[in-house]
Amino acid sequence: MRADYILFIPCDITDIPQDILPRLHHTLEQHPHSSVVYPNINGQALYPFCLLKRNSLETLNKHLHQQQFSLKHCFTDLSPQTLDIQNAHLTYHSLNSFEEVHDYQKSLDS
């Protein structure tokens, strides 16, 4: 099966808005020359959490071939869009160690 889009969600995102996919898709539909959209949650850009159009593959391969691994720089070539989400109760947590998991769990108990 061929798809026109691919959604990437990092495995350490702890809270994903239920309507995120339709909102990201709508943003790309409103900007036909853009090939990527990512959320900006409370002012924090989440580049690895993105919806990409199939036509972005050539640009991604070019950056990888040139050993340019920054999503931020790669997305510049894809006419990026952001989906701004403002919600005081929604925070982004990147959990990359047992200590961060422990701290996050403690914050939920508070």
Side-chain angles (χ1 to χ4, degrees), residues 39-52:
N40 187 345
I41 299 177
N42 297 325
Q44 183 175 2
L46 303 180
Y47 302 107
F49 189 164
C50 62
L51 182 64
L52 288 159

Side-chain angles (χ1 to χ4, degrees), residues 2-99:
R2 284 182 63 111
D4 294 327
Y5 300 89
I6 185 165
L7 176 66
F8 289 95
I9 301 175
C11 63
D12 60 352
I13 300 258
T14 58
D15 192 3
I16 300 168
Q18 289 184 340
D19 62 346
I20 194 71
L21 179 57
R23 291 178 66 190
L24 291 169
H25 185 259
H26 178 74
T27 300
L28 280 181
E29 284 183 328
Q30 298 300 309
H31 300 91
H33 297 294
S34 295
S35 294
V36 64
V37 59
Y38 55 88
N40 187 345
I41 299 177
N42 297 325
Q44 183 175 2
L46 303 180
Y47 302 107
F49 189 164
C50 62
L51 182 64
L52 288 159
K53 289 183 181 176
R54 173 181 288 280
N55 66 6
S56 64
L57 183 59
E58 185 178 326
T59 300
L60 292 168
N61 281 331
K62 179 185 86 172
H63 279 258
L64 289 172
H65 180 72
Q66 295 172 349
Q67 296 188 359
Q68 297 173 353
F69 303 120
S70 167
L71 288 176
K72 181 178 179 179
H73 291 117
C74 179
F75 287 177
T76 300
D77 291 346
L78 297 172
S79 302
Q81 297 298 315
T82 59
L83 174 62
D84 292 322
I85 300 172
Q86 295 296 320
N87 183 333
H89 302 294
L90 180 63
T91 58
Y92 168 70
H93 302 280
S94 179
L95 306 176
N96 298 307
S97 70
F98 289 117
E99 182 178 305

